[in-house]
Amino acid sequence: MSENFKKSIIKTFAIEWFLYVFFIIIITIFIIFTILFEKQKVIKTEENRLSTQVKIINDNILMQIYSINEAFKNIKTAINKEHDLISNLKLFVNVIPSVRTFLIMDKNGDIIASSRDDLITFNYSSRDYFKTVRENPIENRLFISSPYVSVLGTLTINISTPFFDKNNNFAGIILAAFDPNALSNLLSSVIYSDDMKASIIHGDGTLFLTFPSNSFLVGKKLLDNQSLLSKHISSGNILNTFKGLTYVGEDNRILSLYSIIPNELDVNATLYVSVSRNINTLYADIKNEIIVMAILYFLLLVFSVPWIFFLQKRRYILLQFEIKNREESRKRLEELAYIDSLTKIANRRYFDEFLEKEWNYCKRNKKELSIILLDIDFFKQYNDTYGHQAGDLCLQKIARCLEDKLNRSHDLVARYGGEEFVCILPNTNKLDAINIATKLKIAVQNLEIPHENSRISSMVTISLGVSTVIPKDELDKTKLIKKADNALYLAKENGRN
């Protein structure tokens, strides 16, 4: 093996290793990009889902607030007309599902009417929610209380509004206390995963209610400079989605916050609702995918490196054999270059060289040289009728027939092109050449290859042209071919076959 060839092989193998390393780098980048893309996709999808869930809570609570406001209007009318207040209050409790109690207090904080009979004797003048309204009684304003422990021992919030006497003096408040159980059921209705949490937070930052319930957090102030609630309030947006530690740094979550703002109502405080999911749980499926990709990546490296070594070594051995056989292969290719690939007889290239040799031989010996140029009649129609595959088979049959009928060893039949064939007949006079042509015509006809679209026969036929010369210096062999071609033309003009 030559040194140049060895250097070429080494260079080729080095390029292959370079391409392999490049491929591995591309795969690595693709895997990293895929992981990052999947993470972003998961987060984006979950942001949309959480935003939808938090809007569901917002819409439901807003509907309750609007219903409470309408109830307050009816109750004020009933107070002015001195109707049966208790019946009205009990009716509103039944039709507004999230309200546990409706009650009316006079200006001293005494309950003068309630949907619950056991509260009639109570005085709530010391309660902050009563003081807030009494100290700043604005007509039609809704006052949302901070979370407080009710007489039933549960944390709740209420909505109240002042009413006034005929002299427009503060006469008391109408109050609707929320049912924590009903609101908890509302929160639970948007939960679709075990790691989810939903909460209602008062505008002062107090966590009023959370699902699943967490007694450690409920009632605590969440409003500090670093909290997600502070970021939400300072943004001025009605909806925000954050990623980070929630509440008291419990865990890393993705959280949607929504400000409950009743349009066209005068409200003293805002309620906020939140729905969140644990980010680590969201990434659990991606972690499984990462593990699978890491295993596949490792297997790729483990098996591909030895495999490349094996393939290169095998190629090196095969190349050695190839070098030894190169000369034989070259000779064989030269031989194949003279054979028509379809008909397996001599091709045009071999015909030209053979004609040159026989022309010179006959010229030296002053012998006659004849050629027969023949063409399959209406072969295009044959192809159109039976298809090109049948046409190829027809050419093969005729080629074998012609080769079989030329018995002399120094005669040659070759494919001249398309459906044309040519026969070289050295040392053959014109009469013998015509006899041979007639024999070839009959032999092809006897093959009985069907040709239903031929205009002269129901079988495949051929037309032939014969020419004969004694080669001389002043003659050109192309004239021999030209004369045969003219004779073939006349045969076609005179009816073919």
Side-chain angles (χ1 to χ4, degrees), residues 262-322:
N263 294 325
E264 301 177 359
L265 293 182
D266 182 11
V267 181
N268 75 319
T270 302
L271 291 177
Y272 303 99
V273 291
S274 71
V275 180
S276 66
R277 284 202 68 182
N278 187 296
I279 291 180
N280 293 330
T281 302
L282 287 173
Y283 287 159
D285 291 339
I286 296 179
K287 288 179 180 178
N288 293 334
E289 292 180 9
I290 292 172
I291 292 172
V292 171
M293 284 191 286
I295 292 173
L296 293 176
Y297 184 76
F298 175 75
L299 292 175
L300 174 65
L301 294 177
V302 167
F303 288 103
S304 61
V305 172
W307 183 247
I308 292 175
F309 273 117
F310 168 77
L311 290 178
Q312 289 185 341
K313 183 177 180 180
R314 183 172 178 270
R315 282 167 54 206
Y316 185 78
I317 295 171
L318 291 174
L319 284 169
Q320 287 179 314
F321 285 109
E322 183 182 346

Side-chain angles (χ1 to χ4, degrees), residues 329-395:
S329 298
R330 184 183 63 81
K331 291 180 180 179
R332 186 183 175 195
L333 287 173
E334 285 181 355
E335 292 175 358
L336 292 174
Y338 291 114
I339 302 299
D340 180 66
S341 61
L342 176 64
T343 61
K344 307 304 179 186
I345 63 174
N347 61 14
R348 176 71 174 270
R349 177 182 176 185
Y350 188 72
F351 163 77
D352 291 337
E353 293 184 9
F354 190 83
L355 178 60
E356 178 73 23
K357 183 179 69 171
E358 295 301 325
W359 179 273
N360 293 330
Y361 170 79
C362 291
K363 184 173 67 173
R364 286 194 308 270
N365 295 283
K366 298 180 180 180
K367 294 183 180 294
E368 291 178 299
L369 177 64
S370 297
I371 69 167
I372 302 172
L373 192 62
L374 62 96
D375 182 85
I376 301 174
D377 296 324
F378 303 109
F379 188 69
K380 180 181 183 301
Q381 288 80 352
Y382 186 90
N383 270 337
D384 292 341
T385 303
Y386 301 101
H388 289 282
Q389 188 172 0
D392 290 346
L393 186 59
C394 177
L395 290 171

Side-chain angles (χ1 to χ4, degrees), residues 223-237:
L223 200 60
D224 59 59
N225 293 333
Q226 301 301 320
S227 69
L228 299 182
L229 178 61
S230 296
K231 293 179 181 179
H232 170 70
I233 295 173
S234 61
S235 74
N237 298 326

Side-chain angles (χ1 to χ4, degrees), residues 7-8 121 145 170 180 253 267 307 364 410 448 472-473:
K7 289 180 181 179
S8 175
T121 60
S145 72
F170 173 72
R253 305 182 73 82
V267 181
W307 183 247
R364 286 194 308 270
H410 55 279
E448 295 184 350
K472 298 177 182 179
D473 290 336

Side-chain angles (χ1 to χ4, degrees), residues 29 121 221 266 286 455 485:
I29 294 173
T121 60
K221 293 275 188 178
D266 182 11
I286 296 179
R455 299 174 189 171
D485 189 50

